[in-house]
Amino acid sequence: MESFPVIDLSKLNGEERKPTMEKIEDACENWGFFELVNHGISHDLLDTVERLTKEHYRKCMEQRFKEMVASKGLEAVQSEISDLDWESTFFLRHLPESNMAEIPDLEEDYRKVMKEFALEVEKLAEQLLDLLCENLGLEKGYLKKAFYGSKGPNFGTKVSNYPPCPKPDLIKGLRAHTDAGGIILLFQDDKVSGLQLFKDGQWIDVPPMKHSIVINLGDQLEVITNGKYKSVLHRVIAQTDGTRMSIASFYNPGSDAVMYPAPALVEKEAEESQIYPKFVFEDYMKLYAGLKFQAKQPRFEAMKAMESTVNMDPIATV
């Protein structure tokens, strides 16, 4: 079986640039996921983020999670649970405005480190979007501009812990879904596994690797590339041993950004080759909120039904 794509980003700077870009292209077209090493985010910073995240979970969230499990009787379930996930989470918003100051129980050093981490991840996300532009034959900056809207992108981080689960066959850590937004950058536990993606009819493990960043593509990149790249179903399997840390940062379009296939990627001679709709990102998110764990195709179709109301301005690149 093909091995999960691992890409050394430092090789972009030398004579291995071309094969590295080809690996990125293959991963985007055939996997929707890849794992980055030598991505430019310092290992010391990642180690500090991991240490403080795990400390915060133990101090502030672990007991709360146990109480939730007890109140719902989840340890004694006999049949599959399909309406909740075995995860303990909180969400940090960075752009267009930060909510960091409003999150209770975050110690000052943790806030400071997460702010620094977010800046590094944002930089990496924008670098990756330009690499995708290069592979797609789009002008540099096209994807960033497409995501921009009137106030810039929506960028935030979901901090999750997946505690040991007594019934992993009956309760998923996180149910299968595709991500609604743009590009997702995940810093995950390097010891406790659990993330899987669906490819060629089977679930494949995303290997935990120390100091790596896992990338996956959201629904909006599928739309902009007119299906050349696809968002891919993924899930988290809860484990009986160990708590898995997951820090997923979502670089998404601005709420009022208009999404549609890049004209350069729609074949000129065939109008019908534009198979994806145009819509306002916020409208898609409202729909996604209720349909996250269902197939993405009906979401695209619902957007297509609404698209006559969308005013489409061309994307200027800078």
Side-chain angles (χ1 to χ4, degrees), residues 33 194-198 203-206 233-237:
F33 268 80
L195 178 62
Q196 296 182 327
L197 65 94
F198 195 68
W203 288 101
I204 296 171
D205 291 327
V206 176
L233 264 186
H234 53 286
R235 67 183 185 182
V236 176
I237 297 297

Side-chain angles (χ1 to χ4, degrees), residues 6-240:
V6 177
I7 291 162
D8 182 344
L9 218 51
S10 68
K11 290 185 175 176
L12 288 173
N13 302 321
E15 57 202 33
E16 289 186 69
R17 181 179 176 87
K18 189 170 185 287
T20 303
M21 290 297 285
E22 285 167 358
K23 271 181 101 169
I24 294 172
E25 175 79 340
D26 180 70
C28 289
E29 286 191 5
N30 297 308
W31 289 80
F33 268 80
F34 51 96
E35 198 153 4
L36 293 180
V37 295
N38 296 323
H39 40 63
I41 300 177
S42 105
H43 290 182
D44 284 350
L45 176 59
L46 293 177
D47 288 342
T48 307
V49 166
E50 180 171 0
R51 177 175 59 80
L52 293 178
T53 298
K54 289 180 172 178
E55 275 176 20
H56 177 264
Y57 173 71
R58 283 193 299 270
K59 217 182 288 182
C60 303
M61 301 187 76
E62 189 171 30
Q63 188 55 36
R64 226 177 291 163
F65 184 79
K66 286 177 177 170
E67 287 165 9
M68 184 277 290
V69 167
S71 73
K72 293 183 183 294
L74 293 179
E75 291 192 332
V77 295
Q78 299 299 317
S79 57
E80 190 166 357
I81 300 284
S82 60
D83 61 348
L84 63 79
D85 304 301
W86 189 269
E87 63 173 0
S88 170
T89 68
F90 63 96
F91 193 81
L92 300 172
R93 193 173 61 249
H94 312 301
L95 295 172
E97 285 123 24
S98 172
N99 71 345
M100 201 93 78
E102 299 153 31
I103 305 290
D105 309 325
L106 290 189
E107 299 202 353
E108 201 44 52
D109 56 345
Y110 189 29
R111 271 183 230 274
K112 198 172 153 198
V113 161
M114 289 308 280
K115 202 171 176 182
E116 186 185 346
F117 174 72
L119 287 171
E120 292 294 318
V121 173
E122 181 189 351
K123 208 160 56 181
L124 179 58
E126 292 180 352
Q127 180 191 353
L128 286 167
L129 288 178
D130 275 343
L131 293 174
L132 267 53
C133 283
E134 189 177 329
N135 271 338
L136 289 162
L138 297 171
E139 286 177 66
K140 187 178 181 182
Y142 182 93
L143 289 171
K144 184 180 174 183
K145 188 74 181 170
F147 283 14
Y148 204 81
S150 64
K151 295 178 183 165
N154 279 304
F155 177 51
T157 300
K158 180 187 176 190
V159 181
S160 308
N161 283 276
Y162 297 91
C165 178
K167 302 276 179 78
D169 51 329
L170 298 179
I171 309 176
K172 295 284 180 292
L174 181 58
R175 288 160 285 163
H177 63 288
T178 64
D179 289 323
I183 191 165
I184 299 87
L185 301 93
L186 169 70
F187 173 41
Q188 67 167 345
D189 207 291
D190 64 306
K191 295 182 180 64
V192 184
S193 63
L195 178 62
Q196 296 182 327
L197 65 94
F198 195 68
K199 184 180 189 316
D200 300 332
Q202 58 185 323
W203 288 101
I204 296 171
D205 291 327
V206 176
M209 284 172 62
K210 195 160 183 66
H211 298 138
S212 73
I213 300 287
V214 176
I215 307 301
N216 73 282
L217 309 182
D219 294 349
Q220 305 315 310
L221 284 176
E222 180 168 335
V223 171
I224 293 172
T225 65
N226 204 33
K228 184 174 168 68
Y229 297 167
K230 297 274 197 299
S231 59
V232 168
L233 264 186
H234 53 286
R235 67 183 185 182
V236 176
I237 297 297
Q239 306 294 320
T240 50

